[in-house]
Amino acid sequence: MMNVKLPTIKKQVFDRIIRSGLVSKAELMKRLTVTSTSLTRILEELLTDGLILASELGRSTGGRKPILYRVNPSHRAVFGLEISRFSSSIGLYDLNLKPLAFERWKMDDQMTPERLIGKITVLAERMLNDCHIEREKVIGIGIGAVGPLSREDGIMLKPRYFPAEGWSNVAICESLEQSLGLPALLDNGANTAIIGEHWALRTEEVEHMLYVHAGVGLRTAMMSGGQIVRGAVDMEGSFGQMIIQTDGPRLGDEGNYGALEAMVSIPALEKKIRSQLTMGKSSTLIALPAEDIRFDALQDAFAKGDSFVTEQFMQTATYLGIGIANLINILHPEAVILGGPLVNVDKKIYDTVIEVARSNIYYSPQYEPRFSQGQLTEDAVTAGAAVMLLQEWDLS
C-alpha cells in the first residue's frame, strides 16, 4: 500500500502551484511559510525535475514582470477508481487532474472482486496504451469505495447490498497493486467525492463542506479547515444511523431503531411502498408482483404522476432535509453538496430536501450555507480518488 507521509515544504509549494493554476513567486510567498531563498531553490528543483514549467510573464507593478509558474501536466499521470454498488468507474488523469480517459460500467451479480480486478487491469492497460503513457509515469491509483472499510489496511470490510458475492474483507489495495504494479490508496467514496468537489471549488477557497449521497444507503463526508473530518473508525455510514424517531422502524436486521436510513434510503422506500400496497393503497404499481416493486419501477411511477408514490418520495425528502439540518447545525459548513439516486429522481425532490434543511438551520438567516448538486456530480468519487492520491504523493 502507498505510504502516506507529512508534506514537505517542497510538496507544499508544488501543491500550491497545482491549486493556483498560474502563480508568481510573490504570491507563493504570501501563502506559504518559507524564506525567499528557500523558495527560489525549491522552484529551481521543481523546474529541473520537470514537475513545473516557467510560464508567461505576469503583469508588472512597476518593476520587472514576474515569472509565473504552472504544473507540467504531462510529467506524470494518476488513476482514480470508484467501486460502488450500482456502477463503478475508472479515470486516467494528468497532473492538472484533467481526465485523459474514462469508463463507467454497471455492477451486476457476476461482478465479484476477482472479476472486477480483472476488468480494471484490462481497462487501465488500454488507457495507458491509448494515451501513450508509460507505466513508470503513473503515480498510482486512488480508490473511492463503499464502506465500511479500513483505510490504513486497504481493505473493504463488509459493504452491504452488492449484487455479487464475495465482497467481505476484500484487500482491494493489495490486489490492485499486484495486478497493476502500481501503488494504491483507499478511502470511502464519500470522502473522495468531497475531496473532488473541494478541488473543483479551489478558486473559492471553501474551508468547511458537507457531502451527502442518498441512495442504497446514506453516505456522508465532512471537511473542516480544508481537511477531512475522520473518526476512530470509518464514518461513511454514520449519518444513516442518526436516530430521528425513538422506537421507530429498523432497516433489515442491523442498525439502530428509528435511524434515518430506515426512512431515507432506496431499500427503505421500496420496503415501505410494498407494505402500503398490501394494505390497499391506490397506485399504478398495484398490479406488479412485490419482487418487481424496485427503485426503477418507483422512478417510473413518479414520472407518470402516481400520487401515492409521489407522496412517499416527498416524505423521504422531508426526512432527509431534517437529517441534513442536524449535520449543518453541528458543522456549519460553507457549502453543502447533495447527490445520489434518491435526490436525482426529480428537481422537486432536491428542492424539498433543501427547503426543509434551510427551515431548520439554527443560525438562519444570518448564516446559510450554499447548497448544490456539485460541480463533478456522478464523477466526483473517481476524480476525488485521483486528487487524494496526488495530495498524498511523496515528492522526495
Side-chain angles (χ1 to χ4, degrees), residues 48-159:
T48 301
D49 294 342
L51 285 164
I52 65 171
L53 301 171
S55 191
E56 64 265 26
L57 299 178
R59 182 176 298 177
S60 172
T61 57
R64 291 171 54 188
K65 290 184 177 181
I67 297 173
L68 298 181
Y69 298 95
R70 62 185 176 92
V71 71
N72 179 2
S74 62
H75 182 72
R76 302 293 287 270
V78 59
F79 281 111
L81 172 68
E82 175 184 9
I83 302 176
S84 193
R85 301 176 179 98
F86 287 141
S87 68
S88 294
S89 60
I90 185 171
L92 178 64
Y93 301 82
D94 67 16
L95 286 187
N96 270 332
L97 278 306
K98 173 187 173 183
L100 305 173
F102 188 92
E103 186 148 349
R104 183 181 299 278
W105 61 93
K106 289 184 178 180
M107 297 286 282
D108 57 25
D109 58 5
Q110 301 300 308
M111 194 59 72
T112 61
E114 294 76 21
R115 283 180 177 266
L116 183 69
I117 296 297
K119 185 176 185 68
I120 292 166
T121 303
V122 170
L123 288 174
E125 294 288 353
R126 183 190 304 161
M127 289 177 174
L128 292 177
N129 289 332
D130 291 348
C131 297
H132 307 290
I133 295 174
E134 298 173 0
R135 184 183 301 274
E136 293 71 25
K137 282 195 170 186
V138 181
I139 298 167
I141 182 166
I143 309 162
V146 175
L149 50 80
S150 170
R151 183 175 188 262
E152 295 76 15
D153 298 322
I155 296 174
M156 296 174 64
L157 297 175
K158 196 178 180 181

Side-chain angles (χ1 to χ4, degrees), residues 250-385:
R250 187 187 194 193
L251 187 61
D253 57 357
E254 58 183 53
N256 291 325
Y257 288 95
L260 186 62
E261 188 181 61
M263 303 167 198
V264 184
S265 64
I266 289 174
L269 184 63
E270 292 172 341
K271 179 181 178 181
K272 184 177 180 183
I273 288 178
R274 288 188 196 113
S275 175
Q276 293 283 327
L277 289 176
T278 61
M279 293 189 290
K281 287 288 185 179
S282 176
S283 170
T284 57
L285 299 174
I286 195 69
L288 288 179
E291 62 271 16
D292 290 341
I293 299 176
R294 298 192 178 277
F295 189 60
D296 54 352
L298 303 187
Q299 288 179 284
D300 186 56
F302 182 94
K304 291 177 179 176
D306 187 304
S307 59
F308 165 67
V309 172
T310 299
E311 178 187 357
Q312 299 307 309
F313 268 103
M314 290 307 174
Q315 189 176 83
T316 298
T318 299
Y319 278 121
L320 179 56
I322 291 169
I324 290 174
N326 287 336
L327 285 183
I328 291 172
N329 289 331
I330 294 170
L331 183 64
H332 298 111
E334 301 156 82
V336 178
I337 310 294
L338 180 60
L342 268 177
V343 175
N344 295 335
V345 168
D346 190 272
K347 189 175 184 298
K348 289 185 291 187
I349 296 173
Y350 172 80
D351 289 343
T352 299
V353 174
I354 301 310
E355 180 183 347
V356 172
R358 279 199 175 113
S359 65
N360 287 281
I361 296 175
Y362 181 65
Y363 286 109
S364 182
Q366 295 86 354
Y367 155 77
E368 186 173 299
R370 184 173 76 245
F371 293 90
S372 80
Q373 291 177 282
Q375 304 281 320
L376 303 175
T377 59
E378 65 176 2
D379 296 338
V381 175
T382 312

